[in-house]
């Protein structure tokens, strides 16, 4: 080899070494940034969990927001307790376990356990001492009770408590409550098609009737409860859970639209894209059921929705995007977390705003943000 060739070879080696060193440096910087973001997300999630704890009364009740009279309206408190379970698993802090335990006990006391058609159900919302609060709605509805998600999530919370603590004390102690809740779902809330209706409504004449609207996200809530029931107690719950996981994508998802509908009422799916309503199922169901063609399409729809700003910039949308990506086995969006933490959190309380224009801080919004920032799994190993 001539001296000129040797010089050229040496120059190429030095250039390659410089490129390699630069790549290593970039990788180290990115890894450091990733670790820093993980630490930041974890710290923010725990502040949100502390916000939830700060609202909990001594008797275990968690109002829907600071100063609110209502507790567990549309299952809000149960989502908050799911977040406390995730915070406890992440830290082992006794305060989170104790808050979860007190909350489960409060829910058990509020459950209707008297023999009759409502056994195993809850009122739509309660006062802090567990008394039902009237819940008038549109179209002449004077009250609501028997929400499918509320019965299901109670059983799921028992499962989480056992996973968190390794103790079956609550699983065994509230077995009758859990059985009643699951029986209510299977005998009162399930349709002939095998899906689950939202709730029961009372009209102005005092007559109760089933509200036969099956929300897509509710099917996920019920699946959590049924699968938890199967894991804890066995029985027919597993079969019903398997049915939902198999058939919800087949019935509630549209390939043409690339997403799940909000719900099906009177046989008609709701494909409206107004407000936050269509967002939840695109994030929640992929988190539960993982990487499928339907879920990949739903997550892509959700990404495009957030990029376009058409969700009204609800901060909860960022949480559902991260959860859905985690369910697919993908890295959760760092950009969504940065936006949530920079624009959507209250540094003084640890709470999360509803949107940039609405600074209401509710426990269910905080709860899903906790789950998304801690990269929680629906059924932790």
């Amino acid at each position: 080899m001539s001296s000129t060739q040797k010089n050229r070879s040496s120059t190429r080696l030095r250039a390659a070494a410089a490129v390699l060193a630069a790549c290593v440096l970039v990788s180290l910087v990115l890894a450091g940034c990733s670790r820093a973001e993980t630490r930041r997300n974890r710290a923010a999630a725990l502040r949100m969990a502390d916000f939830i704890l700060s609202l909990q009364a001594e008797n275990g009740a968690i109002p829907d927001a600071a100063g609110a009279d209502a507790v567990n309206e549309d299952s809000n408190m149960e989502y908050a307790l799911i977040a406390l379970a995730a915070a406890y698993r992440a830290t082992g802090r006794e305060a989170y376990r104790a808050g979860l335990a007190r909350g489960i006990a409060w829910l058990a006391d509020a459950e209707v356990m008297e023999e009759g058609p409502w056994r195993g159900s809850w009122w739509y919302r309660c006062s802090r001492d567990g008394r039902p609060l009237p819940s008038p709605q549109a179209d002449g509805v004077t009250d609501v009770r028997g929400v499918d998600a509320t019965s299901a999530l109670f059983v799921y919370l028992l499962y989480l408590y056992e996973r968190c603590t390794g103790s079956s004390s609550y699983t065994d102690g509230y077995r009758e409550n859990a059985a009643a809740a699951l029986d209510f779902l299977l005998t009162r809330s399930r349709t002939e098609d095998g899906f689950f209706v939202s709730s029961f409504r009372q009209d102005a004449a005092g007559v109760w009737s089933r509200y036969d609207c099956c929300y897509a996200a509710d099917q996920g809530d019920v699946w959590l409860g049924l699968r938890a029931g199967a894991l804890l107690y066995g029985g027919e719950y597993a079969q019903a859970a398997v049915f939902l996981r198999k058939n919800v994508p087949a019935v509630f998802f549209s390939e043409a639209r690339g997403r799940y509908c909000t719900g099906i009422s009177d046989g008609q799916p709701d494909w409206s894209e107004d407000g936050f309503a269509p967002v939840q199922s695109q994030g929640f169901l992929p988190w539960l059921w993982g990487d499928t063609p339907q879920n990949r399409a739903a997550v892509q729809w959700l990404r495009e929705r957030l990029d376009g700003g058409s969700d009204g910039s609800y901060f909860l949308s960022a949480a559902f995007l991260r959860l859905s990506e985690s369910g697919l086995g993908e890295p959760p969006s760092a950009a969504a977390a940065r936006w949530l933490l920079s624009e959507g959190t209250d540094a003084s309380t640890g709470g999360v705003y509803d949107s940039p224009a609405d600074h209401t801080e509710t426990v269910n919004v905080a709860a899903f943000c906790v789950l998304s920032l801690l990269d929680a799994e629906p059924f932790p190993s």
Side-chain angles (χ1 to χ4, degrees), residues 118 140-143 200-210:
W118 302 111
V141 174
T142 60
D143 215 343
F200 295 76
R201 295 180 168 189
Q202 186 184 54
D203 63 20
V207 177
W208 288 94
S209 60
R210 195 169 76 169

Side-chain angles (χ1 to χ4, degrees), residues 349-364:
T349 66
V352 182
Y353 304 135
D354 189 54
S355 71
D358 183 352
H359 283 197
T360 303
E361 300 173 21
T362 58
V363 294
N364 69 312

Side-chain angles (χ1 to χ4, degrees), residues 50-103:
D50 290 341
F51 162 74
I52 292 171
L53 271 184
S54 73
L55 300 184
Q56 188 172 39
E58 194 64 33
N59 69 351
I62 301 177
D64 293 345
D69 294 326
V71 175
N72 206 38
E73 181 170 340
D74 206 14
S75 311
N76 283 342
M77 175 176 158
E78 288 170 305
Y79 295 123
L81 293 174
I82 294 169
L84 293 186
Y88 179 72
R89 286 185 61 83
T91 66
R93 292 181 189 171
E94 170 61 16
Y96 298 136
R97 185 211 63 79
L100 174 60
R102 290 199 305 272

Side-chain angles (χ1 to χ4, degrees), residues 28-221:
L28 290 173
V29 169
L30 291 176
C33 291
S34 177
R35 288 193 295 270
E37 286 193 334
T38 299
R39 290 194 297 269
R40 179 205 62 191
N41 292 348
R42 173 188 167 93
L46 297 181
R47 287 196 299 273
M48 295 170 190
D50 290 341
F51 162 74
I52 292 171
L53 271 184
S54 73
L55 300 184
Q56 188 172 39
E58 194 64 33
N59 69 351
I62 301 177
D64 293 345
D69 294 326
V71 175
N72 206 38
E73 181 170 340
D74 206 14
S75 311
N76 283 342
M77 175 176 158
E78 288 170 305
Y79 295 123
L81 293 174
I82 294 169
L84 293 186
Y88 179 72
R89 286 185 61 83
T91 66
R93 292 181 189 171
E94 170 61 16
Y96 298 136
R97 185 211 63 79
L100 174 60
R102 290 199 305 272
I104 291 173
W106 184 92
L107 287 167
D109 287 342
E111 183 181 8
V112 177
M113 289 297 290
E114 295 81 7
E115 292 297 334
W118 302 111
R119 179 179 168 84
S121 71
W122 281 257
W123 290 87
Y124 181 71
R125 61 176 187 159
C126 294
S127 64
R128 297 187 187 207
D129 63 3
R131 291 178 294 106
L133 294 176
S135 303
Q137 311 284 313
D139 301 324
V141 174
T142 60
D143 215 343
V144 180
R145 67 190 306 181
V147 174
D148 56 350
T150 307
S151 291
L153 292 177
F154 175 78
V155 183
Y156 179 58
L157 286 166
L158 295 179
Y159 168 84
L160 289 179
Y161 189 82
E162 182 167 309
R163 294 298 301 168
C164 283
T165 64
S167 168
S168 63
S169 59
Y170 272 36
T171 302
D172 295 338
Y174 293 117
R175 185 181 187 120
E176 184 179 359
N177 299 76
L182 293 170
D183 288 348
F184 181 84
L185 288 170
L186 294 175
T187 62
R188 301 289 316 277
S189 300
R190 186 163 53 171
T191 68
E192 292 182 357
D193 295 332
F195 301 112
F196 292 82
V197 301
S198 164
S199 57
F200 295 76
R201 295 180 168 189
Q202 186 184 54
D203 63 20
V207 177
W208 288 94
S209 60
R210 195 169 76 169
Y211 176 46
D212 283 339
C213 178
C214 299
Y215 289 108
D218 279 17
Q219 310 311 302
D221 288 319

Side-chain angles (χ1 to χ4, degrees), residues 134-353:
S135 303
Q137 311 284 313
D139 301 324
V141 174
T142 60
D143 215 343
V144 180
R145 67 190 306 181
V147 174
D148 56 350
T150 307
S151 291
L153 292 177
F154 175 78
V155 183
Y156 179 58
L157 286 166
L158 295 179
Y159 168 84
L160 289 179
Y161 189 82
E162 182 167 309
R163 294 298 301 168
C164 283
T165 64
S167 168
S168 63
S169 59
Y170 272 36
T171 302
D172 295 338
Y174 293 117
R175 185 181 187 120
E176 184 179 359
N177 299 76
L182 293 170
D183 288 348
F184 181 84
L185 288 170
L186 294 175
T187 62
R188 301 289 316 277
S189 300
R190 186 163 53 171
T191 68
E192 292 182 357
D193 295 332
F195 301 112
F196 292 82
V197 301
S198 164
S199 57
F200 295 76
R201 295 180 168 189
Q202 186 184 54
D203 63 20
V207 177
W208 288 94
S209 60
R210 195 169 76 169
Y211 176 46
D212 283 339
C213 178
C214 299
Y215 289 108
D218 279 17
Q219 310 311 302
D221 288 319
V222 173
W223 176 80
L224 286 172
L226 290 170
R227 183 166 187 229
L231 292 170
L232 294 174
Y233 307 115
E236 63 179 309
Y237 313 128
Q239 183 178 357
V242 168
F243 172 88
L244 288 177
R245 183 164 185 171
K246 177 181 178 181
N247 289 283
V248 168
V251 174
F252 289 76
F253 184 86
S254 164
E255 290 187 12
R257 293 177 172 85
R259 70 176 181 93
Y260 293 96
C261 64
T262 299
I264 299 175
S265 183
D266 295 326
Q268 298 299 313
D270 177 4
W271 294 111
S272 170
E273 297 197 359
D274 295 337
F276 180 77
V279 169
Q280 183 170 354
S281 54
Q282 319 314 321
F284 191 50
L285 297 180
W287 179 56
L288 301 182
W289 294 336
D291 188 4
T292 67
Q294 296 92 341
N295 288 343
R296 285 195 297 274
V299 173
Q300 183 57 34
W301 181 92
L302 186 53
R303 289 187 183 116
E304 294 173 359
R305 171 92 168 189
L306 266 65
D307 288 344
S310 59
D311 72 321
S313 297
Y314 293 100
F315 291 114
L316 190 52
S317 300
F320 277 121
L321 175 61
R322 284 180 56 86
L323 286 173
S324 68
E325 292 170 330
S326 177
L328 296 185
E330 300 177 0
S333 170
R338 286 193 292 270
W339 175 63
L340 169 64
L341 298 185
S342 64
E343 304 292 334
T345 56
D346 184 340
S348 64
T349 66
V352 182
Y353 304 135

